[in-house]
């Protein structure tokens, strides 16, 4: 009986404290103390976490919490009022802007870094370069066997991210539909939807049949990078810092942050820090591409 | 003095009685509220998609324009994983329940029972992670299939999760069979196997049925482990060795992204209603099975 009472009291206390915590997070932050909630793109989590750590060392009064979940999750959280900054690897859609207007929120956009999307296969895969058309045909399910591309006679297993991922949306719009809004290509329905970039990396490194994509921050020796070209006659490029900066690598994109209205106080300081030379050095350290200033 | 004691006692009794009554009522009210909320958020999808399109549509592309909300591949995905898990866990579960209840010596019995309870204590995300690292590459190699992220891998992992439920409830049912049934069978010259198979198991069949149904209910509702190891491809599966996407994994993977009030959000709640009905029916069957014995 006593145990049960303790349990109930404990639950009540826990509920009360979590309610209290929420209140604290939601409060307006000013100066260099207070806390910021950042939510969104899985691609950017490592980068923003690195910024947050550096920022908190500089400002010991500040607290920055970073969570992933996908770009869509971040924007939804910004609109639902559960985060202060949304980190996204895609632009907001018109639909999201309309919804924001309905709620009286005006999202303000900041480009904080650049990212190349790396297309990766198992290290033993013979295929090392693809054109954008071939890549699109693989992911829509037109090309089903590696042998059609000069590889071994193995069925292709497509790995994609979940629909809440900005990377998923970006890849669909810029590779499958090649930037043309009138096109309506979809990922093949046999594409496996993986819950994180790391899950894609893990499956690629143990499966010879698989092909997947992720932000270049995830590149590691246990996956093989595929070089890409616009068409058969153009040169092939790998997702390196130089190729993304010069715009030669075809699938690269800006990484963004959204705030509710013009940022103020601590939120503004955090974004200023991310854009500062020190912040952009961190971008380079975690293998993304700094924005040119 | 005595009188005061009696009234105090009566008041105390009254309060306790009402408190128990209220707690009973509360759980029913909570279930009702959950259902009302589900219905309110879920039925809104049928303004944009007909019930037929929703239940029997073969394409699930929730974020395309126009979106396609067909959950047939998801229902089949859940179905494949559940049937697979049941085929594995039911025979093994019932066999171990019989062994524990009827055959095992007391010491072995204790060890086995606590071992199975421990199995129930493993969080599903841990099982999913272990499955991803060990079972998935193994399945790919053994069956020579393009990827190990299949309904089969999910079924094997979920069988582990259903087993503790099945074993412990089936064992209770077997223990509830009066000893004299077995003794009478043995006295009539039946062998031990005949007594167990023809008498004890038959007598406990309704309880075992309930155990199986509750185990299956656990499998249908499981989310984390299936999301990690079934591949999540929303395609109508033609065999258990293909990737599938289950109802639960779809809600878990996509709920975070949807904006409250969008069609996608309503569609996910409608999936919740479908799941609610499936588990409700399974629980109902289990209930009928349990009560059949009493009437």
């Amino acid at each position: 009986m006593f145990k049960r009472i303790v349990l109930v009291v404990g639950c009540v206390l826990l509920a009360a404290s979590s309610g209290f915590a929420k209140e604290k997070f939601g409060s307006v932050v000013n100066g260099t103390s207070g806390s910021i909630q950042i939510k969104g793109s899985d691609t950017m989590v490592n980068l923003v976490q690195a910024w947050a750590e550096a920022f908190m060392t500089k400002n010991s009064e500040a607290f920055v919490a970073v969570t992933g979940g996908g770009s869509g999750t971040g924007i939804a959280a910004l609109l639902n009022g559960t985060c202060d900054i949304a980190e996204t690897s895609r632009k907001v859609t018109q639909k999201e802007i309309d919804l924001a207007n309905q709620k009286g929120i005006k999202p303000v956009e900041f480009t904080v870094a650049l990212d190349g999307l790396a297309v990766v296969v198992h290290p033993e895969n013979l295929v090392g370069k693809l054109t954008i058309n071939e890549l699109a045909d693989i992911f829509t399910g037109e090309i089903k066997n590696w042998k059609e591309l000069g590889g071994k006679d193995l069925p292709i297993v497509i790995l994609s991210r979940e629909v809440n991922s900005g990377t998923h949306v970006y890849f669909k719009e810029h590779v499958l539909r090649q930037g043309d809004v009138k096109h309506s290509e979809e990922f093949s329905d046999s594409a496996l939807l993986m819950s994180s970039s790391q899950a894609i990396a893990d499956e690629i490194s143990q499966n010879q049949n698989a092909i997947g994509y992720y932000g270049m921050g995830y590149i590691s020796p246990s996956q093989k990078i595929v070089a890409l070209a616009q068409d058969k006659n153009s040169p092939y490029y790998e997702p390196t810092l130089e190729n993304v900066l010069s715009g030669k690598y075809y699938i690269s994109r800006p990484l963004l942050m959204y705030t509710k209205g013009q940022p103020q106080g601590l939120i503004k300081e955090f974004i200023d820090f991310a854009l500062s030379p020190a912040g952009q050095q961190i971008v380079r350290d975690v293998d993304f591409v700094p924005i040119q200033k | 003095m005595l009188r005061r004691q009696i009234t105090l006692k009566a008041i105390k009794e009254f309060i306790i009685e009402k408190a128990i009554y209220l707690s009973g009522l509360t759980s029913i009210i909570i279930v009702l509220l959950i259902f009302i909320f589900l219905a309110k958020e879920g039925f809104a999808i049928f303004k944009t998609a007909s019930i037929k399109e929703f239940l029997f549509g073969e394409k699930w592309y929730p974020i395309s324009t126009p979106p396609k909300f067909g959950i047939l591949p998801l229902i089949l995905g859940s179905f494949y994983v559940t049937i697979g898990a049941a085929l594995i866990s039911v025979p093994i579960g019932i066999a171990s329940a019989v062994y524990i209840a009827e055959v095992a010596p007391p010491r072995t019995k204790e060890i086995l029972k606590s071992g199975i309870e421990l199995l129930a204590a493993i969080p599903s995300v841990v099982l999913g992670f272990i499955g991803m690292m060990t079972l998935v590459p193994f399945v790919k190699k053994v069956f020579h299939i393009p990827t190990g992220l299949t309904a089969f891998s999910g079924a094997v992992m979920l069988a582990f999760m259903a087993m503790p439920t099945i074993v412990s409830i089936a064992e209770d049912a077997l223990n509830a069979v009066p000893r004299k049934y077995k003794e009478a069978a043995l006295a009539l010259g039946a062998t031990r196997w005949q007594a167990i198979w023809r008498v004890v198991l038959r007598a406990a069949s309704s309880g075992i049925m309930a155990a199986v149904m509750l185990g299956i209910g656990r499998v249908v509702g499981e989310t984390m482990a299936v999301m990690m190891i079934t591949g999540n491809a929303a395609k109508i599966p033609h065999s258990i060795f293909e990737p599938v996407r289950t109802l639960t994994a779809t809600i878990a993977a996509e709920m975070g992204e949807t904006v409250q009030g969008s069609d996608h959000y309503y569609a996910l709640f409608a999936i919740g209603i479908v799941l609610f009905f499936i588990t409700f029916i399974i629980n109902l069957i289990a209930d009928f099975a349990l009560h059949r014995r009493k009437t």
Side-chain angles (χ1 to χ4, degrees), chain A residues 99-278:
Chain A
L99 244 151
N101 289 340
Q102 272 174 33
K103 299 191 177 209
I105 297 167
K106 193 178 170 301
V108 177
E109 177 185 303
F110 297 88
T111 303
V112 289
L114 298 172
D115 180 28
L117 268 192
V119 175
V120 283
V121 293
H122 190 269
E124 280 173 35
N125 197 320
L126 300 176
V127 177
K129 46 189 190 174
L130 293 167
T131 66
I132 295 301
N133 273 329
E134 284 168 340
L135 193 61
D137 285 347
I138 292 174
F139 277 88
T140 51
E142 292 280 313
I143 299 179
K144 290 187 162 59
N145 197 305
W146 285 112
K147 134 185 111 174
E148 295 170 54
L149 298 162
K152 297 176 196 166
D153 184 9
L154 292 170
I156 297 176
V157 171
I158 308 162
L159 305 181
S160 170
R161 289 289 313 282
E162 278 287 355
V163 294
N164 58 359
S165 155
T167 319
H168 171 109
V169 175
Y170 181 87
F171 199 85
K172 183 165 88 183
E173 283 169 0
H174 291 261
V175 177
L176 269 52
R177 300 182 176 176
Q178 308 201 358
D180 191 337
V181 284
K182 274 178 251 148
H183 284 213
S184 58
E185 283 88 356
E186 295 283 357
F187 279 101
S188 160
D189 56 7
S190 45
L192 309 193
L193 302 187
M194 312 294 279
S195 50
S196 69
S197 298
Q198 193 55 48
I200 290 186
D202 290 343
E203 177 68 6
I204 294 273
S205 51
Q206 66 186 26
N207 192 339
Q208 281 210 34
N209 309 327
I211 182 168
Y213 58 85
Y214 51 49
M216 50 191 280
Y218 281 90
I219 291 174
S220 89
S222 49
Q223 297 104 37
K224 178 172 148 188
I225 310 295
V226 178
L228 299 178
Q230 288 275 31
D231 52 61
K232 275 255 175 318
N233 304 319
S234 342
Y236 288 84
Y237 292 106
E238 291 203 354
T240 57
L241 205 120
E242 298 77 42
N243 290 343
V244 170
L245 257 182
S246 63
K248 281 179 186 157
Y249 186 69
Y250 180 72
I251 37 176
S252 54
R253 56 183 174 166
L255 299 179
L256 310 165
M257 280 189 174
Y258 285 96
T259 55
K260 283 180 272 191
Q262 281 300 333
Q264 278 164 357
L266 194 61
I267 299 173
K268 181 175 178 344
E269 281 200 30
F270 183 78
I271 290 176
D272 287 346
F273 170 74
L275 296 174
S276 71

Side-chain angles (χ1 to χ4, degrees), chain B residues 118-130 161 218 222 224-225:
Chain B
L118 210 64
L119 190 60
I122 301 174
S124 73
V125 63
V126 174
L127 273 178
F129 190 63
I130 294 172
M161 259 174 256
R218 171 121 166 73
E222 174 48 43
M224 203 56 216

Side-chain angles (χ1 to χ4, degrees), chain B:
Chain B
M1 187 66 193
L2 193 71
R3 204 182 178 145
R4 229 183 100 209
Q5 253 181 4
I6 290 170
T7 47
L8 247 174
K9 217 172 172 183
I11 292 170
K12 223 166 138 187
E13 207 127 284
F14 176 80
I15 293 174
I16 290 174
E17 196 190 308
K18 290 296 161 200
I20 293 172
Y21 172 71
L22 271 181
S23 14
L25 209 63
T26 315
S27 49
I28 294 177
I29 291 173
I30 289 174
V31 171
L32 260 179
L33 286 178
I34 289 176
F35 184 72
I36 291 170
F37 183 73
L38 259 183
K40 184 178 141 268
E41 300 288 52
F43 282 118
I45 187 65
F46 299 122
K47 282 180 210 153
T48 44
S50 74
I51 293 184
K52 196 173 149 238
E53 269 167 25
F54 182 72
L55 286 178
F56 300 108
E58 293 180 12
K59 299 275 178 207
W60 176 258
Y61 285 117
I63 58 161
S64 298
T65 36
K68 292 199 182 82
F69 297 116
I71 65 164
L72 188 63
L74 313 181
I75 295 177
L76 288 176
S78 280
F79 184 76
Y80 270 63
V81 173
T82 308
I83 294 293
L87 286 180
I88 300 167
S89 62
V90 168
I92 301 180
I94 294 178
S96 32
V98 168
Y99 179 74
I100 291 172
E102 301 292 328
V103 185
R107 228 186 113 69
T108 323
K109 194 170 167 170
E110 282 315 306
I111 294 171
L112 274 179
K113 270 179 93 166
S114 42
I116 285 165
E117 271 156 29
L118 210 64
L119 190 60
I122 301 174
S124 73
V125 63
V126 174
L127 273 178
F129 190 63
I130 294 172
M132 205 164 79
M133 288 302 160
T134 58
L135 183 68
V136 168
F138 178 75
V139 166
K140 176 180 166 357
K141 221 186 266 167
V142 170
F143 296 101
H144 295 289
I145 41 181
T147 174
L149 296 162
T150 58
F152 178 74
S153 314
V156 171
M157 237 43 223
L158 287 193
F160 283 114
M161 259 174 256
M163 212 95 81
T165 313
I166 296 178
V167 173
S168 50
I169 298 176
E171 197 228 323
D172 283 345
L174 290 168
N175 279 335
V177 175
R179 274 187 71 84
K180 56 187 177 192
Y181 286 17
K182 193 178 161 192
E183 281 161 3
L186 292 174
L188 285 171
T191 62
R192 204 171 175 195
W193 165 250
Q194 284 168 333
I196 291 173
W197 182 248
R198 300 228 178 120
V199 177
V200 180
L201 263 182
R202 297 292 141 95
S205 65
S206 61
I208 290 174
M209 179 75 181
V212 169
M213 279 306 168
L214 289 175
I216 289 177
R218 171 121 166 73
V219 171
V220 174
E222 174 48 43
T223 307
M224 203 56 216
V226 283
M227 192 155 80
M228 291 165 87
I229 56 182
T230 56
N232 297 329
K235 186 190 179 200
I236 292 185
H238 298 292
S239 93
I240 198 165
F241 295 109
E242 281 178 26
V244 295
R245 188 177 182 86
T246 63
L247 295 165
T248 48
T250 305
I251 299 181
E254 296 174 12
M255 194 43 115
E257 176 251 357
T258 61
V259 178
Q260 283 169 25
S262 64
D263 284 344
H264 189 190
Y265 173 87
Y266 293 140
L268 292 182
F269 269 100
I271 293 181
I273 297 177
V274 172
L275 261 176
F276 187 90
F277 269 108
I278 294 174
T279 40
F280 182 73
I281 289 167
I282 290 171
N283 276 341
L284 214 64
I285 296 175
D287 228 39
F288 273 129
L290 262 183
H291 288 238
R292 202 179 62 193
R293 179 167 49 182
K294 284 170 193 158
T295 50

Side-chain angles (χ1 to χ4, degrees), chain A residues 74-103:
Chain A
I75 293 170
L78 191 72
L79 299 190
N80 296 340
T82 49
C83 76
D84 303 305
I85 302 177
E87 34 169 9
T88 70
S89 57
R90 63 166 170 87
K91 284 188 177 288
V92 288
T93 62
Q94 190 54 47
K95 228 172 158 184
E96 284 162 342
I97 295 175
D98 292 344
L99 244 151
N101 289 340
Q102 272 174 33
K103 299 191 177 209

